[in-house]
Amino acid sequence: MMFVLSSPSGAGKTTLTKKLAANNTNFTISISHTTREPRPNEINGKDYYFINKEEFNSLIKGNHFYEYAKIFDNYYCTLKDPILKFLSLGKDVLFDIDWQGTQQLKKVKNLSIVTFFILPPNIQALKERLLNRHKGQEKLIGKRMNKFNEETSHWNEYNYVFVNDNLDTCYEKILNVIECEKRGEKHYQNRNEIEEKVKKLVE
Ligand code: ADP
Ligand code: 5GP
């Protein structure tokens, strides 16, 4: 099966995706291609495949992708072949992609996809997380914060929505849903409560 995690930037989806893969041997993470510059701690081929615009354009022209999107002036894409290979090996694949990519992935036929939207507990915590990740880069942080409302407006396109306040608690909730879905069961969530939470966040 395929499990997608999306969120406004800094809410914690990459951390959660990595924790899921680190603790569950059947999960593998889809490694995206991007034209973004690597961050100091990022490794090519592990966090992303870092490519230039020409290489990106040729992947798109060759129709090798499931989805692609332009986000914060950079391009990101998910290639088909590695995903098909993982699925054929019986692996569950985790995706850390945005709402644009999720919309495209959901349109692909014969894929079994469950989607999660991750929210921060509040705006202050989100800002602190971004400050922590991008020390001193106020402009970049501002850009990502400005996108918060737009990104969060897509929460209702997702099967499940969780608040990443305490990392371990949020992780357990996601894992529990994945285990339910793997058994063919749905997990109930009160969408009205989520809507109220979202309203408070975007005020
Ligand atoms: P995203 O992938 O959604 O942009 P990250 O996973 O990179 O976000 O997380 C942003 C920052 O917040 C990272 O420095 C990460 O270590 C931290 N972080 C993630 N989850 C939590 C949490 N529950 N509590 C505190 N810090 C967190
Ligand atoms: P970052 O630059 O912080 O790693 O990621 C920025 C945004 O791009 C995040 O929302 C992340 O989920 C998204 N992203 C990463 N890889 C892909 C991808 O292959 N496709 C799409 N559509 N979004 C991606």
Side-chain angles (χ1 to χ4, degrees):
M1 289 179 72
M2 296 166 57
F3 299 95
V4 173
L5 274 78
S6 298
S7 78
S9 185
K13 66 192 162 304
T14 307
T15 309
L16 286 160
T17 309
K18 286 187 172 161
K19 195 168 163 70
L20 285 163
N23 293 310
N24 302 276
T25 49
N26 205 46
F27 291 147
T28 191
I29 299 178
S30 164
I31 304 172
S32 300
H33 284 66
T34 184
T35 60
R36 161 164 90 57
E37 289 295 315
R39 295 182 187 133
N41 59 336
E42 286 180 328
I43 298 169
N44 188 33
K46 185 167 174 277
D47 297 287
Y48 282 105
Y49 293 104
F50 295 98
I51 57 174
N52 62 35
K53 277 215 176 102
E54 287 70 40
E55 289 168 316
F56 191 89
N57 286 338
S58 87
L59 286 179
I60 301 306
K61 269 196 193 136
N63 201 23
H64 297 301
F65 61 89
Y66 266 140
E67 60 77 31
Y68 73 97
K70 187 180 183 193
I71 308 161
F72 305 118
D73 303 329
N74 297 304
Y75 291 89
Y76 296 80
C77 88
T78 304
L79 293 191
K80 271 184 215 165
D81 282 357
I83 308 304
L84 290 171
K85 190 174 156 220
F86 289 140
L87 293 175
S88 74
L89 292 171
K91 292 272 186 186
D92 294 311
V93 188
L94 301 169
F95 295 81
D96 170 345
I97 61 174
D98 82 331
W99 60 270
Q100 304 174 78
T102 307
Q103 286 185 352
Q104 295 168 58
L105 212 53
K106 279 163 68 179
K107 287 187 190 141
V108 181
K109 292 205 174 78
N110 300 323
L111 295 180
S112 183
I113 304 177
V114 179
T115 59
F116 295 88
F117 198 81
I118 309 301
L119 293 169
N122 53 61
I123 296 295
Q124 190 51 35
L126 183 76
K127 191 160 187 198
E128 277 162 21
R129 288 178 193 179
L130 285 170
L131 277 166
N132 186 30
R133 196 176 69 188
H134 305 277
K135 284 186 183 72
Q137 299 182 65
E138 295 291 341
K139 212 169 145 194
L140 183 149
I141 293 166
K143 235 177 168 179
R144 288 179 177 242
M145 293 292 293
N146 286 341
K147 279 267 188 181
F148 176 80
N149 283 7
E150 186 196 327
E151 288 179 324
T152 303
S153 71
H154 293 277
W155 71 272
N156 211 9
E157 296 163 22
Y158 287 74
N159 299 122
Y160 299 99
V161 182
F162 287 114
V163 176
N164 177 22
D165 190 352
N166 178 281
L167 182 68
D168 290 337
T169 309
C170 187
Y171 164 81
E172 289 298 338
K173 286 182 181 168
I174 296 171
L175 187 61
N176 179 40
V177 171
I178 290 178
E179 284 167 353
C180 277
E181 290 277 352
K182 293 282 293 172
R183 293 193 300 267
E185 296 163 15
K186 299 277 166 235
H187 177 85
Y188 173 75
Q189 278 204 305
N190 185 329
R191 304 296 282 193
N192 293 334
E193 276 178 16
I194 298 165
E195 192 170 7
E196 286 310 309
K197 174 75 193 171
V198 169
K199 271 188 196 154
K200 279 194 195 130
L201 279 171
V202 299
E203 258 166 16

